[in-house]
Amino acid sequence: MLLVAELGTRLKEARLSKGYSLDDLQEITKIQKRYLIGIEEGNYSIMPGSFYVRAFIKQYADAVGLNAEELLETYKSELPGTPNNQVSQLTTSPSRRKVSKGPSTKMMEAMPKIIVGLFIIVIIVVIWVLMQSRNSAGPNVMDDSASSEIEYDTKAKPIDTEKDKEKENKKAQTDDKQESTDSKDSEKETPDEKQTEDVKQSISAGTTEADGATTSYTLTGANTLKIRIEVSGPTFIGIRNQQQQELLTDTRVYNAGEVVEFDATSQNYARIRLGNSTQAKVYINDELLTYAQQIVTQNIVINFNKE
């Protein structure tokens, strides 16, 4: 038992000299920590078998830089007995071990390939059967379609009775009357539409008033007077009627991006006050008004003659 304790002590000292903890050694050897503790304490009863005792000692020794074969030879009399063939496998390098494969092992390895091959064969057979069925069914489908058309033609009967002929004549007369009515309605609508198209609004050229800051325009050919002012920079905007009453509730300085809209259809006169006309575009019924005067501050008077 003293030798076993010396084996565990020797392994532990080698581990500590490497600076490995038991957790580090477990990560390196993939041996559970409790088995590593059992090796260091000489407690082999917790091992899963005598074979694993030698195997774990060898892995432990290799991990800490000791000669595993020398250790196993030195302490072989104190270690649990292991069959000769297992000992020889332990003292042989893992890279040089040869695992014999029996017939059953070879069959198991080949089984996935056999299954895949059978699966491919089944798919090929199914596709072939479907193609044969489709080819054989093709002409019959065409024949059935042709026969159904022939049957439909034979069932169709011409109008050969007096009653049916009378119904068809009445229907034709009704259709002719409807077409005639539609044609007349269309003729009635055409002049009105043409007249509407011919009527277009007109804004007269501006007339400069005596104050030099007011320009008067006359709007004709329109039923509405809708004012829209698009602002591109700071400018004062106000709208008054002929009695010089403010029509625009929000009379102030407007900034770039703002739009002023006012419906003055109920008025026959509207005066637009622009603090900076270069920063504002005036539209009358969506038609851009061309300033007659190129001055900064000006009044624009619209005289509205309703149609």
Side-chain angles (χ1 to χ4, degrees):
M1 195 69 178
L2 180 59
L3 292 175
V4 173
E6 289 179 358
L7 172 60
T9 301
R10 187 174 177 185
L11 291 170
K12 183 176 181 180
E13 290 175 352
R15 172 175 66 80
L16 295 175
S17 66
K18 289 285 188 180
Y20 296 152
S21 65
L22 288 171
D23 292 329
D24 295 333
L25 197 60
Q26 177 180 251
E27 181 67 23
I28 296 171
T29 61
K30 308 304 180 184
I31 299 172
Q32 295 183 22
K33 185 177 179 179
R34 62 193 185 97
Y35 294 147
L36 297 174
I37 295 173
I39 291 173
E40 291 183 352
E41 295 178 351
N43 183 13
Y44 303 126
S45 60
I46 65 173
M47 302 294 181
S50 59
F51 169 77
Y52 290 97
V53 174
R54 296 175 180 272
F56 289 168
I57 289 174
K58 183 179 186 304
Q59 287 180 264
Y60 193 129
D62 290 339
V64 297
L66 295 179
N67 190 323
E69 294 182 4
E70 180 182 341
L71 288 176
L72 291 173
E73 182 64 26
T74 302
Y75 299 102
K76 67 180 180 180
S77 60
E78 301 299 331
L79 297 177
T82 305
N84 293 332
N85 61 337
Q86 293 183 0
V87 174
S88 63
Q89 291 178 3
L90 286 172
T91 57
T92 304
S93 175
S95 61
R96 296 182 180 180
R97 293 178 188 172
K98 295 183 180 179
V99 181
S100 60
K101 298 182 180 180
S104 60
T105 304
K106 294 180 179 180
M107 180 60 70
M108 290 299 292
E109 292 180 354
M111 187 60 68
K113 297 180 180 179
I114 295 173
I115 293 173
V116 172
L118 291 175
F119 184 71
I120 293 173
I121 291 173
V122 170
I123 291 176
I124 293 173
V125 171
V126 171
I127 293 173
W128 182 82
V129 172
L130 291 175
M131 291 180 64
Q132 292 297 322
S133 301
R134 186 173 181 180
N135 292 335
S136 60
N140 294 333
V141 173
M142 295 298 292
D143 293 342
D144 292 342
S145 176
S147 62
S148 63
E149 291 180 0
I150 295 173
E151 183 178 358
Y152 176 81
D153 291 341
T154 56
K155 289 181 180 180
K157 294 181 180 180
I159 301 174
D160 55 356
T161 62
E162 293 297 329
K163 188 175 181 179
D164 292 338
K165 289 181 179 180
E166 184 177 354
K167 288 181 178 180
E168 289 296 321
N169 290 334
K170 288 182 178 180
K171 184 178 179 181
Q173 291 175 0
T174 301
D175 293 342
D176 291 341
K177 290 180 180 180
Q178 184 65 36
E179 290 179 0
S180 177
T181 302
D182 294 341
S183 178
K184 290 179 180 179
D185 292 340
S186 176
E187 291 176 357
K188 290 179 180 180
E189 292 174 357
T190 302
D192 294 338
E193 293 175 355
K194 185 175 181 181
Q195 184 177 2
T196 302
E197 291 178 355
D198 291 338
V199 176
K200 295 182 180 180
Q201 76 172 18
S202 174
I203 302 176
S204 66
T207 301
T208 304
E209 301 294 335
D211 60 4
T214 303
T215 307
S216 295
Y217 302 84
T218 301
L219 173 65
T220 57
N223 295 322
T224 60
L225 173 55
K226 293 182 179 181
I227 301 170
R228 187 174 84 254
I229 306 171
E230 297 180 355
V231 181
S232 59
T235 181
F236 173 86
I237 298 176
I239 301 176
R240 294 184 177 183
N241 60 15
Q242 197 165 10
Q243 289 75 35
Q244 299 305 309
Q245 297 172 337
E246 288 290 345
L247 300 177
L248 190 63
T249 57
D250 192 11
T251 300
R252 60 181 173 85
V253 175
Y254 288 81
N255 296 313
E258 293 188 275
V259 177
V260 177
E261 292 183 324
F262 183 78
D263 188 348
T265 304
S266 61
Q267 306 290 327
N268 58 7
Y269 173 99
R271 193 201 75 167
I272 304 169
R273 176 69 172 177
L274 299 177
N276 187 349
S277 61
T278 62
Q279 302 291 344
K281 292 182 179 180
V282 178
Y283 292 84
I284 305 299
N285 294 333
D286 294 330
E287 181 179 343
L288 180 62
L289 179 68
T290 302
Y291 298 146
Q293 295 192 85
Q294 301 303 317
I295 58 178
V296 177
T297 301
Q298 60 176 298
N299 301 319
I300 295 174
V301 174
I302 306 296
N303 296 294
F304 179 33
N305 296 330
K306 296 183 181 178
E307 291 295 324

